[in-house]
Amino acid sequence: MNIHKNYNQKELTLNIQGRVDTVTSKDLDNEITQESGNFNSLIMDLSDMEYISSAGLRVLISTQKKMNAENIPFVIKNANPSVSEIFRMSGFDKILKIE
């Protein structure tokens, strides 16, 4: 997994590449935690994500809870069909804001 960060003023976009699974999900969580306080809007661009496991889904839910508590918008964009299907099958498409 690779994470590319892009700031547009106080809006942070994280482009996630590769697989987010048991091994890499902690890195994603740490990256979000390290950037906390530096942004007032968070976008995750999943156009280059190949796969997400339940561990990765937990990071997304945890991130959403943190962002909701701080009143920070959090949007997931550009999920490919296989990742979108994982969101749909897990019911996360009804929990997360996905565009």
Side-chain angles (χ1 to χ4, degrees), residues 25-53:
S25 62
K26 187 68 175 163
D27 295 335
L28 177 58
D29 191 44
N30 288 339
E31 191 71 42
I32 295 165
T33 300
Q34 287 175 1
E35 293 298 322
S36 274
N38 295 332
F39 58 87
N40 60 18
S41 178
L42 177 61
I43 297 170
M44 277 195 196
D45 183 341
L46 307 186
S47 56
D48 297 317
M49 180 184 284
E50 299 165 6
Y51 172 78
I52 187 164
S53 72

Side-chain angles (χ1 to χ4, degrees), residues 49-81:
M49 180 184 284
E50 299 165 6
Y51 172 78
I52 187 164
S53 72
S54 59
L57 292 173
R58 280 192 296 276
V59 171
L60 296 183
I61 287 296
S62 171
T63 299
Q64 182 178 20
K65 287 180 181 179
K66 289 178 201 171
M67 297 303 107
N68 285 348
E70 297 175 25
N71 205 24
I72 295 173
F74 172 51
V75 178
I76 295 171
K77 293 186 175 184
N78 304 320
N80 68 36

